[in-house]
Amino acid sequence: MLNEIDLGRTDLNLLVLFDVVLRERHVGRAAERLHLSPSAVSHGLGRLRRLLNDPLFLKTPKGVVPTARAMQLADPVSEILARVSSVVASAAPFDAARSIRRFTIGAPDGVSTVILPPLLHELKRAPGIDISVRQLLPLPSETSPDRAWRTAFCDLESRAMDIAIIPSDHIPTRFHRHVLFEEDFVIAARARHPLARRLTLDRYCDAQHLVVSHTGDAYGFVDRILEERNRRRRVALTVPNFMFALPILAETDLIAALPRRFAAMHAARFGVVALEAPLPLGKFQLHGVASGAAMMDAGVAWLFEVLRAAVDRRSSPRKRGSMPRAKAGSPLSRG
């Protein structure tokens, strides 16, 4: 680490130079990206080597390779530059058309695959904005809705994440939230599946089921609903995410409960059809959530509004009658 004396004589541009050379693995290409001469880059690397007491990069016929010390510094330097960039960006009025910020959005995979296409369409007007998507997962074996997503709430407050999309009504009051859309479930199966002609509750229970479960736990919210009716099903396969489920359904006689919007957007290209469930599977709301402090950041507030507008403008699945809500737990983690 840099001590206090070193920091006083350190040029922040040296860290930028280090980061670019590390990414390019080539002094000449790094010089082009930085609009410097190769000799200027080499001179800067020399200063860094003396400062950090390490060669950092070793010459090869194809460019340079980082030393072990350089690789250790990669993440800390990247984080420092990201934080500095955020501080500088917040000092000036936010202009989406000119901004080069990166924002992080967290969502369960069945949600991110639904909101990303319309969001990216909206972001065409802000070509310098970059998005990182993190998969949100409820805490394993946590049945309390207000505690299942507490890791996401902690990440929002620490600003490790800018916005989260959470399938729960139990959002602490200290957070800003907005209902993005309401979701329910359909039964997905291959187009020529025998059940596609007539799906009764008896035939549904007799079928072999696929459950999306990131932990591999085969017991999901559908099983709780079936137990209330003294029914059971056989879960023949679990897979870790919804996109993985679609090609499996397309090639087998397995069936699965999938979010309606997700199925409407992605199922057809796999030859998978959506069937109305033979029993009420409940519905739930998806909330966009950000910390109060984050919403004071004009950039985050702008992105929150863009996300809301992107979801609103996308055609919703056809309206359905009222259905009872699913019981406690996470319907987007185990169906």
Side-chain angles (χ1 to χ4, degrees):
M1 295 179 60
L2 301 179
N3 59 39
E4 187 173 351
I5 297 176
D6 291 331
L7 189 59
R9 60 185 178 86
T10 299
D11 182 354
L12 181 62
N13 288 320
L14 293 179
L15 299 185
V16 176
L17 184 147
F18 171 87
D19 188 63
V20 174
V21 173
L22 185 66
R23 294 172 187 274
E24 295 293 336
R25 299 291 206 273
H26 195 281
V27 170
R29 290 196 298 268
E32 291 178 3
R33 281 191 56 183
L34 293 167
H35 303 290
L36 297 172
S37 67
S39 62
V41 172
S42 296
H43 177 72
L45 287 177
R47 292 173 60 191
L48 268 176
R49 288 170 176 134
R50 291 189 294 273
L51 184 65
L52 299 173
N53 194 31
D54 188 89
L56 297 179
F57 298 97
L58 304 176
K59 292 182 179 180
T60 73
K62 295 184 178 181
V64 296
V65 294
T67 64
R69 176 62 172 152
M71 293 304 297
Q72 290 174 353
L73 290 170
D75 287 342
V77 168
S78 179
E79 182 178 350
I80 288 169
L81 294 177
R83 290 182 178 274
V84 170
S85 177
S86 178
V87 169
V88 172
S90 65
F94 180 77
D95 182 351
R98 297 184 178 182
S99 176
I100 55 171
R101 288 181 63 178
R102 175 178 291 277
F103 296 97
T104 299
I105 298 174
D109 76 287
V111 176
S112 58
T113 53
V114 168
I115 62 99
L116 272 179
L119 176 61
L120 293 176
H121 178 77
E122 294 293 323
L123 290 178
K124 288 180 180 179
R125 295 177 292 177
I129 297 295
D130 295 324
I131 301 294
S132 294
V133 177
R134 292 176 50 183
Q135 182 175 4
L136 293 190
L137 299 170
L139 293 173
S141 303
E142 180 58 76
T143 59
S144 172
D146 57 341
R147 294 181 60 81
W149 301 96
R150 64 179 183 270
T151 300
F153 296 135
C154 289
D155 286 347
L156 287 170
E157 289 189 306
S158 69
R159 297 300 301 274
M161 187 163 54
D162 296 298
I163 297 173
I165 303 175
I166 298 176
S168 173
D169 294 331
H170 298 266
I171 310 296
T173 56
R174 64 185 183 276
F175 289 92
H176 175 84
R177 71 176 183 176
H178 177 82
V179 178
L180 296 176
F181 60 92
E182 193 166 64
E183 184 66 286
D184 66 343
F185 285 86
V186 294
I187 306 305
R190 63 181 178 85
R192 297 185 180 275
H193 196 290
L195 294 184
R197 294 190 297 273
R198 188 169 67 94
L199 181 60
T200 64
L201 182 55
D202 286 339
R203 300 185 78 192
Y204 175 77
C205 292
D206 289 341
Q208 296 188 32
H209 293 250
L210 177 153
V211 165
V212 175
S213 169
H214 68 277
T215 64
D217 184 356
Y219 186 87
F221 78 95
V222 171
D223 298 285
R224 291 193 293 273
I225 295 173
L226 288 172
E227 286 176 356
E228 293 173 357
R229 292 162 172 77
N230 295 317
R231 298 280 192 149
R232 297 182 62 186
R233 64 174 178 170
R234 177 191 170 193
V235 176
L237 178 68
T238 70
V239 296
N241 59 65
F242 288 101
M243 288 303 296
F244 191 20
L246 290 174
I248 301 297
L249 294 174
E251 298 295 333
T252 68
D253 280 338
L254 295 171
I255 64 174
L258 300 182
R260 182 180 294 273
R261 288 183 181 235
F262 171 82
M265 183 177 291
H266 299 292
R269 68 175 182 267
F270 289 90
V272 172
V273 297
L275 312 172
E276 295 299 327
L279 75 169
L281 296 183
K283 59 183 177 180
F284 56 97
Q285 292 181 330
L286 276 300
H287 293 262
V289 183
S291 71
M295 290 300 291
M296 297 177 67
D297 179 332
V300 174
W302 168 84
L303 180 63
F304 202 103
E305 176 58 24
V306 169
L307 176 62
R308 184 200 63 76
V311 173
D312 284 350
R313 288 171 187 157
R314 184 168 190 90
S315 298
S316 300
R318 66 181 181 83
K319 300 294 184 181
R320 300 185 64 199
S322 177
M323 297 175 66
R325 292 187 181 277
K327 300 296 183 180
S330 176
L332 285 180
S333 63
R334 291 194 301 275

